[in-house]
Amino acid sequence: MQQIFKHYPIQVIGQEGFAVLTERQRMILNAIVDDYIRSAEPVGSRSISKRGGVGFSPATIRNEMADLEELGFLEQPHTSAGRIPSTKGYRYYVDHLVKLEEVNEGDLQRVRSFFAKKMNQMEQIIQHAAMILSNMTNYTSIVLGPETFDNSLKAFQLVPLNDSSAVAIIVTNTGHVENRTISIPPDFDMSELEKVVNILNTKLAGVPLHRLQSKLFTEVGEELGRYVDHCEMIMDSLGKALSSESEHRVFLSGASNMLTQPEFKDVDKVKTIMDWLDETPVLMKAFTSLPSGIQVRIGSENDHDAIHTCSLITASYSIDGKSLGTIGLLGPTRMDYGKVISLMDVLSKDMAVLLGRWYK
Amino acid sequence: MQQIFKHYPIQVIGQEGFAVLTERQRMILNAIVDDYIRSAEPVGSRSISKRGGVGFSPATIRNEMADLEELGFLEQPHTSAGRIPSTKGYRYYVDHLVKLEEVNEGDLQRVRSFFAKKMNQMEQIIQHAAMILSNMTNYTSIVLGPETFDNSLKAFQLVPLNDSSAVAIIVTNTGHVENRTISIPPDFDMSELEKVVNILNTKLAGVPLHRLQSKLFTEVGEELGRYVDHCEMIMDSLGKALSSESEHRVFLSGASNMLTQPEFKDVDKVKTIMDWLDETPVLMKAFTSLPSGIQVRIGSENDHDAIHTCSLITASYSIDGKSLGTIGLLGPTRMDYGKVISLMDVLSKDMAVLLGRWYK
DNA sequence: GTTAGCACTCACTGCTAACGAGTGCTAACG
DNA sequence: CGTTAGCACTCGTTAGCAGTGAGTGCTAAC
C-alpha cells in the first residue's frame, strides 16, 4: 500500500492552475475536510493517522500537512492547533474529492411527497420548497421565484372598484398574476372601460411583459385615442403600473439555522450575515448572472464581504434550457457539500418538472 | 420638598390589584425603569440618588428599593447587584408612569413622507410600513395584512391558460386580488366557460368571502348545472381554491435587530426567539383576538415561553371601528416604551387613513 | 423619617501555573 | 529515500487566587 503514494515534487501546476497533488495528499486533504465538516474543530495529524484505511504515522501526516499548507490548501488558526481547510482547500475538495452522497431514502421521500402535493399557487410552491430545503439541511435557503422577464401577456382585466380607482390585472402565459391599483379619471364610464380592455387584450395578447410598456404607447395609444376620450391619464397609470412589474420575489427560510452553527456563535458575525440577507437587492445581485447548473461559491470567492465565512450553493432550475429561477443555500464554509449538492440537484430538477407542468 | 413624599404603609391594595405606591416609590420606580431602559444594566441606589430632582441619600433609596422588591416590582439578579424592573414593575410603569414622548420631528417626517408616497400595491405598503417601523425603533416589527374576512367579492374572472388549466381570479371590494390555478375538465369549451363566469359574477357579487364557498354549492351549483355540463369538477376545483383563501400574510422586518440588544448576546436565546418568529401559525395566534387599540404584553405576560424575555406591543389599525390588521413590535422587555408606543400610535392611525382611502 | 457608617456579598479583572493538543525538527530505521 | 520515533516547543485553555469595586442590608445616630 505504501508504494502507491509516491512523494512527487509538489510545485507542478496542473491545468486548473492547481498544483498536482499526490494521491496521498489528496487522501489527506479529503480526510481533513471530511473531519472538519463533521467536527468544526481543527484537525490534528494524530486523528487522521488513527483513521481506518490510513497507514501512516502522525509524523508523516504532519509532513504532508506542512506541504499542503505551503500550497495554500490548509490553514492553521494558530501554531499548535490542527489544520483547517482554506477556501482553496474547499475548492479542491468540491472540484475533485467530494463524494456525492446518494440522497437518503427518507429525504428523497420527503421531497417527492412534497412535490406530489397539489399546490394551487406558485408562491406557495416556492415558499414551501425553501422551507423544506432549509429544514433538511439546517442551513439557510434562499429561493428566487421564476423570472417573469420572458413571460408574455395572456389576458388583461380591469375591474372597477369605485368612481376613481380600478384594479388592473395581468395574467401571463405561465399563469402568473400581477395586479395594481390604478386611478381612473372621474368622467370615465363603464362602456368606455370595456372598450379599453377589449382593445388592450386584442392588441397586447402574446406580447412579452418587458415590451409591454413601449408597445402600450407606440401601437395601442393611437388606436385607443380614436375610441376613447381622456385616455392619457389611464395610459399614464397603466404605464406606471407596468414599469414596476419585474420585481423579483425572494423567499427566505431557516435564517435562524445560522445560529446553530458553532462558527457563528459570535453574535456580531451573525448580524452582518443577517443584514446581508435582509438586503434583497444585494441578494439579487449575488444570484443573477449565474451560469446555469449548480454553482458553489466558497468563502472569499463570494463577492460580498459579509459572507466571506460562508459558502453559497446555487442551483438554477430551468426547463428547455430556459432558466426559471434559482435556489440558493447559505451555510458556513464548513458545509456538508456531499450531501447538500446532490440534494439541491434533486430538488432543482423536481422543481423544474413541477413548474414545467405549470407552464404548459 | 421632602414632606411631599409620605411613607405610607405599603400593603394596601388598589383597585387594579396593585399595592398603592407612595409618590416617592413611584418616582423611584420610574427612575429605575428609565435608567435600565437606557443602560441595560442593573440600577444601583447611588446612581438614582445622584440624579437631578431626587433629594434623597442612597440609603433612603435602598430602603424604598427593598420595599419595592418585596412588592414584586423589582428584582435583583444577584445580591450586591443593582435592581432591575420585574414584569410587574414594567407593567406598573407602562400603566401609570410612562411619559409618552412626542414623536420627534424627524421621525414624524419620515412616517408622513412614507405615507405620502403613492404605492400601487397593498402588499408594498404593508411591507414598507414594517420596514420603516423596524428601522426607526431598532426592534423587530411584525405586520399582519388586512384581514380579508369581512371583504366581499367584487368580480370573478377565469382566464384559460391551456386545455387543462385556468387561472381563477377573485377581486374583492377592497381591491385585493387573490388567484389560484385550477384544472378544468378536458371536454369543456370556451363558450361554456364564459357562461360559468357570468353566472358566478351575477350570483356571487357582493357576497362576503368567507361565505363564498357555501354559497357556491347551495345557490349557484343548481343553476350552473342547468346551463353547463360537467360542472362538478369545476365546482370542486373552485371550492378547493377558495377554501385555502383566508391565509394571512405576515410581514417581518428587522429580525436581525434582535442581535443588537445586549440581553440577546446569548445565541441560544436569540435562536428560540427567531424560531418563534419563523412559525407563522404561532405568530398569528399571538396576534388574533387582541382587543383593538394599543396593547402591551410584557415578558411573562406573553403566552409563549420563547418570548418571556421580550415585550410585544401591538396596535391594530382599524377604520370605522372595523379592524383591518395589526402592527406588532417585538423587543426586549427593556423597551423604550415611551417612544415606541407613541410612534406606533401615529403609524397605525396613518396607516388606517391610507388604507381607508383604498377601501372607499 | 432620614441618613451616615460599616460589614458583607459577589461579579469581574488580572495574574500565574499546570495541562495538553499539536506542531516542527532531527536522527534513526528499513 | 521515504518513513517514523522522539523530543522540545508553542500556545490556547483552564483552574486557582487575590484584589477591586459596585452595591446591598443593617444599625445607630441625627
Side-chain angles (χ1 to χ4, degrees), chain A residues 33-190:
Chain A
V33 175
D34 278 346
D35 252 37
Y36 187 64
I37 283 176
R38 273 206 0 274
S39 69
E41 310 238 302
V43 183
S45 53
R46 230 175 78 91
S47 62
I48 299 293
S49 166
K50 276 192 303 188
R51 273 180 154 229
V54 183
F56 302 97
S57 76
T60 309
I61 308 286
R62 277 205 292 283
N63 286 329
E64 295 285 31
M65 280 163 96
D67 291 345
L68 284 170
E69 182 171 359
E70 202 177 340
L71 286 169
F73 292 97
L74 296 180
E75 281 168 2
Q76 231 177 343
H78 50 264
T79 354
S80 91
R83 304 300 209 292
I84 60 175
S86 66
T87 294
K88 190 177 170 186
Y90 282 121
R91 168 55 59 199
Y92 192 91
Y93 175 82
V94 169
D95 287 346
H96 301 107
L97 303 175
V98 67
K99 275 203 284 295
L100 295 185
E101 292 171 27
E102 294 243 336
V103 176
N104 85 51
E105 200 49 46
D107 283 355
L108 200 63
Q109 282 295 324
R110 284 177 66 191
V111 174
R112 290 285 142 84
S113 76
F114 160 69
F115 280 119
K117 244 185 256 168
K118 232 190 153 189
M119 274 162 296
N120 47 14
Q121 258 198 319
M122 188 172 288
E123 294 205 343
Q124 246 180 31
I125 296 182
I126 298 168
Q127 179 75 68
H128 278 95
M131 214 174 73
I132 209 170
L133 183 58
S134 68
N135 275 347
M136 277 169 33
T137 59
N138 276 318
Y139 300 125
T140 302
S141 70
I142 307 158
V143 181
L144 244 66
E147 307 199 21
T148 52
F149 189 77
D150 286 327
N151 296 0
S152 60
L153 187 90
K154 185 85 188 181
F156 178 84
Q157 302 283 354
L158 210 54
V159 177
L161 288 175
N162 49 45
D163 295 343
S164 63
S165 63
V167 181
I169 299 173
I170 296 167
V171 184
T172 72
N173 59 334
T174 63
H176 186 71
V177 176
E178 294 270 345
N179 73 86
R180 295 290 184 294
T181 307
I182 63 171
S183 42
I184 51 176
D187 50 350
F188 204 86
D189 77 286
M190 275 312 214

Side-chain angles (χ1 to χ4, degrees), chain A residues 218-253:
Chain A
T218 57
E219 295 190 27
V220 185
E222 206 175 306
E223 179 149 2
L224 209 59
R226 235 180 285 159
Y227 296 90
V228 183
D229 294 334
H230 322 287
C231 71
E232 308 86 26
M233 226 178 128
I234 278 247
M235 294 283 289
D236 209 47
S237 297
L238 275 178
K240 276 206 199 98
L242 291 177
S243 65
S244 67
E245 161 275 334
S246 73
E247 260 179 35
H248 267 278
R249 295 217 52 168
V250 178
F251 298 86
L252 268 184
S253 181

Side-chain angles (χ1 to χ4, degrees), chain A residues 162 256 260 271 275 360, chain B residues 154 162 256 260 271 275 360:
Chain A
N162 49 45
S256 63
T260 60
K271 177 83 166 82
D275 285 343
K360 293 274 164 66
Chain B
K154 185 85 188 182
N162 48 45
S256 64
T260 61
K271 177 81 166 80
D275 285 344
K360 294 277 165 66

Side-chain angles (χ1 to χ4, degrees), chain A residues 20-37:
Chain A
V20 171
L21 299 184
T22 64
E23 197 56 36
R24 192 169 69 187
Q25 285 174 322
R26 294 159 60 96
M27 186 267 287
I28 290 175
L29 180 57
N30 189 31
I32 290 175
V33 175
D34 278 346
D35 252 37
Y36 187 64
I37 283 176

Side-chain angles (χ1 to χ4, degrees), chain B residues 255-275:
Chain B
S256 64
N257 283 342
M258 276 293 165
L259 299 168
T260 61
Q261 303 297 339
E263 38 264 271
F264 300 130
K265 68 174 198 295
D266 175 23
V267 175
D268 288 340
K269 245 186 226 162
V270 183
K271 177 81 166 80
T272 48
I273 296 173
M274 292 279 193
D275 285 344

